[in-house]
Every structure is written in structure tokens, then in C-alpha cells.
Amino acid sequence: MATMPSGHGRATILDVARAAQVSRQTVSNALKHPERVRPDTLERVHAEIDRLDYRPSTAATSLRGQRAGAVGMELTGLGAHALSDALAPFLVSLTIAAPEHDCHIVTFGSDGPDPTLQRYREMWRSRLVDAFVIMDTHHGDPRPAWLLERDIPFASFGRVWDDPSFTSWADVDGRNGVAGAVDHLVSQGYSRIGYLGWPQGSLVGDERRNGWAEAVTRHGQTHQGPEGNTIQDLAKAMAAAEPLVDDVGIGGAIACASDVLALGVTQVLLRRGLVPGRDVGVVGFDGSETARTHDLTSVAQPYRSIASQLLTQVHNQLTTQRRPDHGLMFEPTLLPRASTLRQSSAPHPQEKS
Amino acid sequence: MATMPSGHGRATILDVARAAQVSRQTVSNALKHPERVRPDTLERVHAEIDRLDYRPSTAATSLRGQRAGAVGMELTGLGAHALSDALAPFLVSLTIAAPEHDCHIVTFGSDGPDPTLQRYREMWRSRLVDAFVIMDTHHGDPRPAWLLERDIPFASFGRVWDDPSFTSWADVDGRNGVAGAVDHLVSQGYSRIGYLGWPQGSLVGDERRNGWAEAVTRHGQTHQGPEGNTIQDLAKAMAAAEPLVDDVGIGGAIACASDVLALGVTQVLLRRGLVPGRDVGVVGFDGSETARTHDLTSVAQPYRSIASQLLTQVHNQLTTQRRPDHGLMFEPTLLPRASTLRQSSAPHPQEKS
DNA sequence: TTGTAAGCGTTATCAT
DNA sequence: ATGATAACGCTTACAA
């Protein structure tokens, strides 16, 4: 293979043109409008493209096309430099889906929680990104309004609390998810089915809780059964789980609003010498690594579909200048594991990665 | 505020120049070489820059400067779309450190583990990134050689197994880290100190194990004490922990090669009705979310320093065309938590996030 | 079917 | 101290 014609690095369109004995233009056409170029020329050009390992420069294409071809994703750090349980897998899905949507993902974030909008502003005005994907919007989240004010394209993983009229979102049907989990518990033969959720007042939390209430009623459980709630913290979850475990008893089960809460239940069982699954069923929510590690049955979020959908939405916003008519709801998938297996005690089950 | 002079979006250098009644060049100078411009002009220009919220276009700057100003970071997915324990916090650190190094982070990855080099190639030849940061290099990892062959700048989190002559890396001193953990355990009054590590043969694992062996010998423990090893898996860790817990007994402690292994020990203790910390000390390694969640003492990796150092290294490679003389070793920090607290039983300790 | 020209926004170099 | 010129790599519109 010959050394690179121009400079010492990556070939440019001009290098290819010279090598293929055509004009720059023909090379560009060969890539973007192959029908405009004669077959034999096309072949020759492609041969040189392959030989020189040519790809159009992102910077040049961006400048020319007035689009960065990038989507910004904020890494919201919890305290230290940690990612929320859902953020990591979602980011991976987004990253992997990006090339199929002709873009790439640029991450950003700040140390303190303070100047979060500043970073969005910086990304936007330097034209580093064409759009944003946001997630974990909470009540009073300043981001949606800020982005809307400036006509900055974005899509949200999760409905936007403060603005029901905002339609560019994709979310998971938590109600159905938990209801399905309850159905699963019933089919596995667990009798009394309790629920450990988050404090009332969050859209997501209330929805999941309703899924449990509905399913449990549907299955004829009277008084809906034992219920508790606490914030997303293992120690707190363990404390809240104690009375619930007492209540459902051996042969009962507990559905939870998250994997962390489910883990709390598991720890309580462990401490009492009980085996999750065999003695008491436990189901979490999120399909996180935590659940996998502890072999907990969980309701898994369809991160890949959501990532793909959100990228489609921002792409449409960029090309058509308008948002979708409505948001999109996805169904989660139950991931059955040892914590809902009554048959075997399965103290150390294995799972293929 | 007036509407944007050019088009309907973000101001360009020309907009600022017109508004400030100077040429494009003067605006550019005001930003890059403020000393070349008269104070009053400078002020006027800056006023307009602020008013118009102007920032140079990344695409234009990249094209002009022949550098993308971006560093690529592969998100290596374990099986599903999960990130390794260390990858998530490291990515956050990298992302946050990037602006201070005049760059941003672009993530990429592939579904299967197969075409991993293809994605590196794609990022590189489209000039999307100037360099890469890699991590988790293992024996037989094709990436370092592939990148070196092509003179692609990169730096590695962790020494490169197959190529000791490669100097652009930053790593954590696992030996000192574990030794320090043992010192801590001794100072807390734990008697017999065992070790749960990984199977022999990995640089990282062997080093950590040696840290334990050295410290334990230094403290006069005969025969080094009980030792076990297993792969990074909770169920396996629990199995391996059983005999170790038997051996060190109440008042003993176990240092571990990772937080997952430490978690395994904890689970065994819990199942036996023992309280981590009060009855048996446990120390993990990584300072991961897992450790925080379970209130485990852990040896925390200095992700921020490492991220910053690696970005400095690639920056130097880009400007000076040469790699550092040698890699850089960082000292980890012990994060004491309840699992090494003998005094209080502390069943549900709290910690500020 | 192919080539030519212009411009995307920026900055280094060279005049003034 | 400031301004004009050119070039970075690419693509769309237009001319041959």
C-alpha cells in the first residue's frame, strides 16, 4: 500500500480524486449520489476509497451541512462520580444506536449540581451538538423549559412532569410492568403479594404502585395486601422491608419499585435465614446490574428501543422542525431469575452473561 | 435582546464583528490573542460576544485547526448493555475533566465483542476524534498494537500487558492499596486477616494479592493466613468466602481484590447472622457504587486524577508527537465504612451522598 | 456524465 | 492595532 498522498495521515477527498483520476466532485457523487456516476468510474473510485481508507471529514461535513451530527447526553453524577442505575445501560444503548442514526454521542457533565444549564448552553452555542437527550426529569427540572425557550431540539427518556404538552418522549409502562410481575408471582404460586415502593408523589413511582394494586385486586387479593415505601437507599429499604416480610410470610412475595428496593428485601430475607425465591418471592424493577448480580427477578427496561426511538425523534425534529404528535410508551420485559423460583432453593445459581 | 443577526440561531464571528464595528479578525484576536487588541476595542468586542452569546463553531475550528478536539472512549458492554464497575465512574471523570483539557468525549461501542477494532477505525478515519483513551486491556488485547501501528495517539487506564515498552498509561497502585487496607484492619483491632482474590495470572490481581501478603507478613501474621480466589461473580465469591470466614473467625477480617468479592463475603456473613464490621471485617477494592450501597469499606480508585492525567498525556502526544517517558502510578484512597467498624454494630448506617 | 465555483466559520500569515 | 487574504475539506447548485 502506498503512503498517504497528502500529509501523513488520513486521506482527503482530493487524494481519492487524484488517485482515481477524477475530480473531487465525482468522488463526492460516488458517495452521495452513486446514480450520477458511470458504473466503471464508480468502481474505480470505490477501489481507491477502499485502498486509501477514506471517509469524509466530520468537521468539514459539519461545517458544510450546518449540523454537528452529534447528540449531547448529560452524565448526571450522583454525589461522587457515579451514574444512576438506569443511566449507564441507557448511555450504552444510545451510543450503540447512534451510528444507525448518522450521529454520535457527546457526553458532558459538571461536578456540582449547580451550573447544569451552563453546560447545556456551552454545548449548544459552540455548535458541538444539534440536540440533546435528557432523562430523569423531575418536578421543577429547569431543563425542558430552558431548552424549549431556545428552540433547542431534544427528546426525553421519561415523560416531562411539568409540561404534559411536551410530546417528544419515550417511556416505559411501569404499570403494566409491575402488573406483569405480579402475574408472574401468582403463576409461580406465591400467595400473599406485597409491595415496596417509593414515597407517593412521583409519576413513575405512583404508576408502578398502581400496577401492583390493580393486578393484586384482579387476582382477588383482599385489601390489596401489605405495602410500604421508602427512598432509593439500601439501608432504608431493609428497614422498610422488615414489616412487609413479616406480613407476607413464607410463601408470600414482594414486588418492588426498583432493584435497590428489591435488594433490600433480599438482604432482610438473608439475614433471617430465608432463601429468596424458595421462601419469599422478590421482584425488582429496572433490569439493572444489581439485579443480575444478586440473581433477582426484575422488570427490565427496553433501553435499546427507547434509545433508538429518541434518536429518531431528535432526527425528525432536526429535519422537519416539528415534534411528534405524542410520546411513545414501551413495554418492559420480565426477567425471571432465582428470586421468583419456588421449586429449587438454588443457593448459588449461575447465569450466562 | 435583539434577534440573531444571521439566520435564526447561533451567532457567528461575523455577527459579532459587525455588531462591534470591527473585522472578523479582531474578534478572533480578542478571543485568542487579547494582547493584540486595544483595550477599548477589546471591551466593545467582548460586550457584543456576551450580548450575542457567541462561541466559535467547533466544526469550523476543527476544520481550520486540523484537530477534532475530541477523544474517543469505547463503552465495552458486558453481555447486555452494562458497563464494567470501573468504567462508569471513570467515564464520568473523563467527561468532567475534558473541558479543562480543551476537548470533549465521544463514546462509541458495538453490540457484539467482534468488530471492536472496526469502530476505532471508523472514528479515526472520519476524523471524529484525535485520540483514544482505552482501559481494561487484557492479555492478547489487539487494540494497543493496532493503534500503535497506525500512529494513532492513545493513552491507557492500566498498564498494557503485552507491551511493557508502552509508556502512555496511568494506573493505580494495587499493592499499596491493599497493604493500606490491611494496615487499617490491623489498626481497627482485627486479628487474623485473610484474602479473597482472583485466580492467579493477572497483573492487577497478583499485585493486589502481594499487597496483602506483604502487609500481613509485616504485621507478623504467620503463614500469611487464609487465602482464596475466584472470578468476579457474586455467587462464586460467596462459595469461595465460606471457608475463609470459617478460618478467620469472629474478630478476623478479609481483604478482597474487588468490591464484588467483598460483597460475597458480606452476604455469607449476613446469612450466618454475623454483622460485617462488628464480627468480621471486610474490605473491598474499587470504591464502586456497590461498596457504597452496601456500606462496605473499599480502596477507592482515584478516577479523577487518572482521567485528567490521561487527557494530559494524549494532549501532549498531539502537540509534541511523543509519548511520556514512563507511565504514572496513582495511590488509591481507603474509604472506611461500616464493614470495618468494630465498635458499633451499626446495622443501618447513613452516609452523606 | 463530469467539472467548476462558491461558501460553510474560523484563524494564521501577512500587509497596512 | 487592525484589516485583507487564504486555506482547512466538503457538498450543493450550476455550467459544460
Side-chain angles (χ1 to χ4, degrees):
Chain A
M1 172 170 313
T3 170
M4 217 49 70
S6 90
H8 66 293
R10 292 157 280 191
T12 76
I13 197 173
L14 206 59
D15 296 324
V16 178
R18 278 196 282 255
Q21 316 250 36
V22 294
S23 74
R24 299 191 274 274
Q25 209 40 16
T26 308
V27 179
S28 180
N29 284 338
L31 254 20
K32 301 271 177 181
H33 305 281
E35 75 283 1
R36 292 188 192 163
V37 60
R38 219 191 312 149
D40 57 329
T41 318
L42 190 63
E43 191 183 359
R44 191 153 35 96
V45 171
H46 269 118
E48 292 303 327
I49 287 178
D50 288 347
R51 196 175 64 79
L52 296 171
D53 201 19
Y54 166 77
R55 280 290 179 257
S57 146
T58 309
T61 309
S62 296
L63 187 54
R64 177 66 234 247
Q66 300 290 74
R67 36 161 242 120
V71 172
M73 173 79 203
E74 184 189 12
L75 302 188
T76 45
L78 293 83
H81 284 189
L83 259 42
S84 90
D85 246 18
L87 200 155
F90 179 60
L91 175 64
V92 176
S93 298
L94 210 52
T95 296
I96 290 176
E100 296 156 18
H101 296 257
D102 293 313
C103 67
H104 57 271
I105 304 296
V106 176
T107 58
F108 65 101
S110 56
D111 245 324
D114 340 270
T116 169
L117 288 182
Q118 288 299 336
R119 309 305 332 271
Y120 280 88
R121 178 160 168 257
E122 210 59 43
M123 302 287 287
W124 175 249
R125 63 179 182 173
S126 65
R127 297 164 175 73
L128 231 180
V129 300
D130 302 314
F132 295 95
V133 165
I134 68 176
M135 71 182 289
D136 287 336
T137 66
H138 52 271
H139 187 59
D141 192 332
R143 298 175 301 169
W146 189 89
L147 293 165
L148 283 169
E149 271 170 30
R150 286 160 184 74
D151 268 318
I152 301 177
F154 74 103
S156 168
F157 177 7
R159 284 149 284 181
V160 174
W161 268 72
D162 300 341
D163 185 358
S165 73
F166 178 76
T167 56
S168 201
W169 55 262
D171 207 345
V172 171
D173 191 334
R175 205 170 132 284
N176 261 352
V178 177
V182 170
D183 292 345
H184 168 72
L185 289 169
V186 169
S187 80
Q188 290 289 307
Y190 295 99
S191 51
R192 203 163 161 65
I193 297 173
Y195 184 75
L196 179 55
W198 294 317
Q200 207 187 340
S202 84
L203 186 63
V204 178
D206 295 351
E207 187 180 75
R208 293 186 187 175
R209 188 249 169 215
N210 289 341
W212 162 76
E214 172 227 289
V216 119
T217 304
R218 177 157 44 76
H219 286 290
Q221 186 166 305
T222 48
H223 302 310
Q224 289 196 344
E227 181 176 1
N229 70 67
T230 177
I231 61 166
Q232 187 81 338
D233 173 276
L234 183 58
K236 292 255 170 60
M238 289 175 69
E242 295 279 3
L244 283 181
V245 172
D246 288 337
D247 198 324
V248 301
I250 305 278
I254 301 176
C256 304
S258 76
D259 288 332
V260 170
L261 296 183
L263 178 57
V265 175
T266 306
Q267 298 295 88
V268 166
L269 295 178
L270 221 63
R271 209 157 59 180
R272 295 188 181 191
L274 299 175
V275 176
R278 188 193 64 187
D279 300 322
V280 176
V282 185
V283 183
F285 201 114
D286 278 348
S288 67
E289 273 305 284
T290 299
R292 205 179 61 78
T293 300
H294 292 267
D295 215 357
L296 297 178
T297 297
S298 183
V299 180
Q301 310 231 27
Y303 293 115
R304 310 167 68 131
S305 311
I306 290 177
S308 187
Q309 170 63 22
L310 293 180
L311 289 179
T312 301
Q313 287 186 13
V314 293
H315 181 264
N316 287 345
Q317 284 181 49
L318 286 168
T319 50
T320 73
Q321 310 275 31
R322 30 172 301 176
R323 275 178 260 281
D325 294 333
H326 48 78
L328 213 48
M329 208 68 151
F330 286 86
E331 290 304 322
T333 315
L334 188 81
L335 244 49
R337 296 212 183 88
S339 72
T340 53
L341 255 187
R342 289 198 83 191
Q343 331 297 3
S344 138
S345 71
H348 305 313
Q350 273 333 89
E351 179 175 335
K352 292 160 273 314
S353 163
Chain B
M1 171 168 314
T3 169
M4 218 51 68
S6 89
H8 67 293
R10 292 158 280 191
T12 76
I13 198 173
L14 206 58
D15 296 324
V16 178
R18 279 195 281 255
Q21 316 250 32
V22 294
S23 73
R24 298 195 276 273
Q25 205 43 287
T26 305
V27 179
S28 179
N29 285 337
L31 253 20
K32 301 271 179 180
H33 306 282
E35 75 283 1
R36 292 186 192 163
V37 61
R38 217 192 313 151
D40 58 328
T41 317
L42 190 64
E43 191 182 0
R44 191 154 34 96
V45 170
H46 269 116
E48 291 304 327
I49 287 179
D50 288 347
R51 198 176 63 79
L52 297 171
D53 202 20
Y54 166 76
R55 280 290 181 257
S57 145
T58 309
T61 309
S62 296
L63 186 54
R64 180 68 236 257
Q66 299 289 72
R67 35 161 243 119
V71 172
M73 173 80 203
E74 184 189 11
L75 302 188
T76 45
L78 294 84
H81 284 189
L83 261 42
S84 90
D85 244 19
L87 200 154
F90 179 59
L91 176 64
V92 176
S93 298
L94 210 52
T95 296
I96 290 177
E100 298 156 17
H101 295 258
D102 294 313
C103 66
H104 57 272
I105 303 296
V106 175
T107 58
F108 66 102
S110 55
D111 245 324
D114 339 89
T116 169
L117 288 181
Q118 288 299 336
R119 308 308 330 271
Y120 280 88
R121 178 160 168 257
E122 210 59 43
M123 302 286 286
W124 176 249
R125 63 178 184 174
S126 65
R127 295 166 175 74
L128 230 180
V129 299
D130 302 313
F132 294 96
V133 165
I134 67 176
M135 72 182 288
D136 287 336
T137 66
H138 52 271
H139 187 58
D141 193 331
R143 298 174 302 167
W146 188 90
L147 293 165
L148 283 168
E149 272 170 30
R150 286 159 185 75
D151 268 318
I152 302 178
F154 74 103
S156 169
F157 178 8
R159 284 149 283 182
V160 174
W161 268 73
D162 299 342
D163 184 358
S165 73
F166 178 75
T167 56
S168 202
W169 54 262
D171 207 345
V172 170
D173 190 334
R175 205 169 132 286
N176 260 353
V178 177
V182 170
D183 292 345
H184 168 72
L185 289 170
V186 169
S187 80
Q188 290 289 306
Y190 295 100
S191 51
R192 204 163 161 66
I193 298 173
Y195 184 75
L196 179 56
W198 293 316
Q200 208 187 341
S202 84
L203 185 64
V204 177
D206 295 351
E207 188 180 74
R208 293 185 188 176
R209 188 251 168 213
N210 290 341
W212 163 76
E214 171 228 289
V216 119
T217 304
R218 177 156 46 75
H219 286 291
Q221 186 165 304
T222 49
H223 303 309
Q224 290 195 345
E227 182 177 0
N229 71 65
T230 177
I231 60 166
Q232 188 81 339
D233 174 276
L234 183 58
K236 292 254 171 62
M238 288 175 69
E242 294 280 3
L244 284 182
V245 171
D246 288 336
D247 199 323
V248 300
I250 306 278
I254 300 175
C256 304
S258 76
D259 288 332
V260 170
L261 297 183
L263 179 56
V265 175
T266 306
Q267 298 295 88
V268 166
L269 295 177
L270 220 64
R271 208 157 60 179
R272 295 188 182 192
L274 299 176
V275 176
R278 188 193 65 187
D279 300 322
V280 175
V282 185
V283 184
F285 201 114
D286 277 348
S288 66
E289 273 305 285
T290 300
R292 203 179 64 76
T293 300
H294 292 267
D295 215 357
L296 297 179
T297 297
S298 183
V299 179
Q301 309 230 29
Y303 293 115
R304 310 167 68 131
S305 311
I306 290 176
S308 187
Q309 170 63 21
L310 293 180
L311 289 179
T312 301
Q313 287 186 15
V314 294
H315 182 264
N316 287 345
Q317 285 180 49
L318 287 168
T319 50
T320 73
Q321 309 275 30
R322 28 172 300 175
R323 275 179 261 281
D325 295 333
H326 49 79
L328 212 48
M329 207 69 150
F330 286 85
E331 290 304 322
T333 315
L334 187 82
L335 244 49
R337 295 212 184 88
S339 73
T340 54
L341 255 186
R342 288 200 81 191
Q343 331 298 2
S344 138
S345 72
H348 306 313
Q350 274 330 89
E351 178 175 334
K352 292 160 272 314
S353 164

